[in-house]
């Protein structure tokens, strides 16, 4: 099975 | 005052149709250089990034930076009141609390005007780093839409593998498994029909089909789509908007547990 990553883990908030 | 007149009004209709199921509310950032939007879906798994440069409008007037917070479902409903060949103008008065949409028939004999209340949106903005991708695949957007739809009958995830031979989409689930393999095109009549793979190194990643399916709703915007992959970074799905900008979707990968 797969775990869905979140986009915030890759792109830093301003 | 902000005023942007889009002679090809249907571009805006297609854009909003492409993102309205992914994003509920969005801030349109209006600057002298053009119009942009960045928003995450409610699960914070994907990101939408839109750019429409000022030179794609005729005319475009933006005296000062403005943020227009708009509910996209409302906007989509209002845009349904326009015809495909209408010229669409977006206008916002300084210090006003609404955005005005004007639909003008090509012969200018019919003019409709809708006043949309702006909404306050607390929108977290993300920095998207410049990325050198391992593989960049370009294909007809209708083909992308078809593959995503076909893979959805098998499961909720698709593994996309790029190699020098081409690109392979595969899915498996309770009913079985399947794959679609696209070879790089050798000779095609039109560049829009071509499949090309610009490969730095082979890469294989898994993504949620639900999001790819939502992204594929942008297919009417452009005859081709570009998919950019790198190991352990979000997938970039890009649709170009005529000569004026782009609609980009970023999707975080699924990790094998």
């Amino acid at each position: 099975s797969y775990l869905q990553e979140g986009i915030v883990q890759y792109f830093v908030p301003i | 005052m902000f005023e942007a007149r889009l002679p090809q009004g249907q571009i805006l209709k297609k854009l909003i149709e492409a993102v309205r199921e992914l994003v509920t509310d969005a801030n349109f950032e209006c600057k002298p250089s053009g119009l942009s939007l960045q928003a995450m879906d409610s699960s914070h798994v994907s990101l939408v990034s839109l750019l429409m440069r000022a030179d794609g409008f005729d005319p475009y007037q933006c005296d000062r930076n403005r943020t227009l917070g708009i509910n996209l479902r409302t906007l989509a409903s209002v845009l349904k009141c326009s015809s495909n060949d209408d010229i669409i103008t977006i206008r916002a008065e300084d210090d006003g609390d609404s955005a005005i949409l004007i639909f003008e028939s090509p012969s200018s004999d019919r003019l409709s005007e809708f006043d949309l209340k702006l909404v306050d949106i607390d929108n977290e903005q993300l920095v998207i780093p410049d990325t050198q991708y391992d593989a960049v695949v370009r294909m007809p957007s209708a083909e992308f839409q078809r593959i995503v739809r076909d893979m959805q009958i098998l499961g909720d995830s698709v593994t996309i593998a790029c190699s020098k031979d081409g690109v392979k989409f595969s899915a498996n689930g309770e009913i079985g498994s399947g794959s679609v393999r696209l070879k790089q095109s050798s000779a095609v009549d039109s560049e829009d029909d071509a499949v090309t793979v610009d490969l730095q190194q082979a890469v294989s990643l898994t993504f949620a089909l639900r999001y790819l399916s939502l992204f594929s709703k942008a297919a009417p915007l452009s005859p081709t789509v570009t998919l950019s992959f790198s190991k352990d970074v979000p997938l970039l799905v890009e649709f170009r908007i005529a000569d004026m900008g782009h609609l980009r979707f970023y999707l975080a990968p699924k990790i094998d547990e």
Side-chain angles (χ1 to χ4, degrees):
Chain A
S1 70
Y2 292 100
L3 185 72
Q4 176 64 64
E5 297 276 273
I7 200 82
V8 192
Q9 282 169 257
Y10 297 93
F11 299 151
V12 185
I14 293 173
Chain B
M1 187 175 77
F2 171 77
E3 185 169 285
R5 183 174 176 271
L6 188 61
Q8 275 187 279
Q10 59 170 308
I11 290 177
L12 186 66
K13 292 173 69 129
K14 289 175 182 173
L15 263 173
I16 301 307
E17 279 304 304
V19 298
R20 71 181 177 89
E21 285 180 57
L22 199 61
V23 177
T24 312
D25 297 306
N27 281 330
F28 288 80
E29 302 294 344
C30 310
K31 295 178 179 169
S33 57
L35 199 68
S36 65
L37 175 157
Q38 192 201 88
M40 281 184 275
D41 72 280
S42 59
S43 305
H44 292 195
V45 167
S46 67
L47 182 77
V48 180
S49 174
L50 162 71
L51 174 71
M52 295 172 90
R53 285 185 298 271
D55 59 16
F57 296 91
D58 183 25
Y60 184 92
Q61 184 196 340
C62 182
D63 304 330
R64 62 181 182 89
N65 292 357
R66 279 293 304 271
T67 299
L68 306 178
I70 293 179
N71 178 284
L72 296 189
R73 282 179 199 166
T74 311
L75 180 57
S77 305
V78 168
L79 286 170
K80 285 214 169 84
C81 305
S82 70
S83 303
N84 281 340
D85 55 357
D86 276 355
I87 300 156
I88 297 181
T89 300
I90 309 163
R91 182 189 296 159
E93 304 290 345
D94 284 345
D95 307 322
D97 61 356
S98 65
I100 299 153
L101 284 161
I102 300 158
F103 308 142
E104 178 187 344
S105 66
S107 54
S108 299
D109 52 5
R110 186 179 196 275
L111 207 70
S112 44
E113 192 172 314
F114 291 83
D115 204 296
L116 270 182
K117 282 212 174 72
L118 297 177
V119 286
D120 269 333
I121 302 163
D122 187 15
N123 192 8
E124 190 175 39
Q125 293 290 298
L126 303 177
V127 181
I128 303 168
D130 280 334
T131 305
Q132 289 293 325
Y133 287 98
D134 292 339
V136 178
V137 177
R138 187 168 176 264
M139 67 167 79
S141 51
E143 179 67 272
F144 173 64
Q145 194 168 35
R146 178 181 173 191
I147 292 171
V148 168
R149 193 180 58 224
D150 292 352
M151 291 291 105
Q152 276 187 301
I153 66 164
L154 294 164
D156 57 9
S157 302
V158 63
T159 299
I160 308 176
C162 306
S163 68
K164 61 179 173 31
D165 299 326
V167 56
K168 183 184 175 191
F169 300 78
S170 48
N172 61 73
E174 284 176 16
I175 64 160
S177 61
S179 67
V180 179
R181 193 188 300 259
L182 297 180
K183 287 184 189 170
Q184 287 216 62
S185 310
S186 44
V188 285
D189 292 338
S190 155
E191 254 186 43
D192 290 346
D193 297 331
V195 175
T196 61
V197 181
D198 183 2
L199 194 78
Q200 304 303 313
Q201 62 175 347
V203 59
S204 176
L205 289 161
T206 300
F207 299 100
L209 279 162
R210 191 176 100 77
Y211 291 94
L212 295 180
S213 172
L214 289 170
F215 303 167
S216 74
K217 293 186 188 298
L221 266 178
S222 171
T224 62
V225 60
T226 307
L227 313 176
S228 302
F229 305 87
S230 271
K231 193 176 185 309
D232 301 330
V233 306
L235 162 70
L236 164 59
V237 179
E238 176 172 333
F239 296 86
R240 292 196 57 181
I241 305 169
D243 291 325
M244 70 183 301
H246 56 245
L247 178 62
R248 290 177 178 161
F249 298 98
Y250 295 88
L251 177 60
K254 283 188 158 190
I255 306 295
D256 210 345
E257 279 186 291

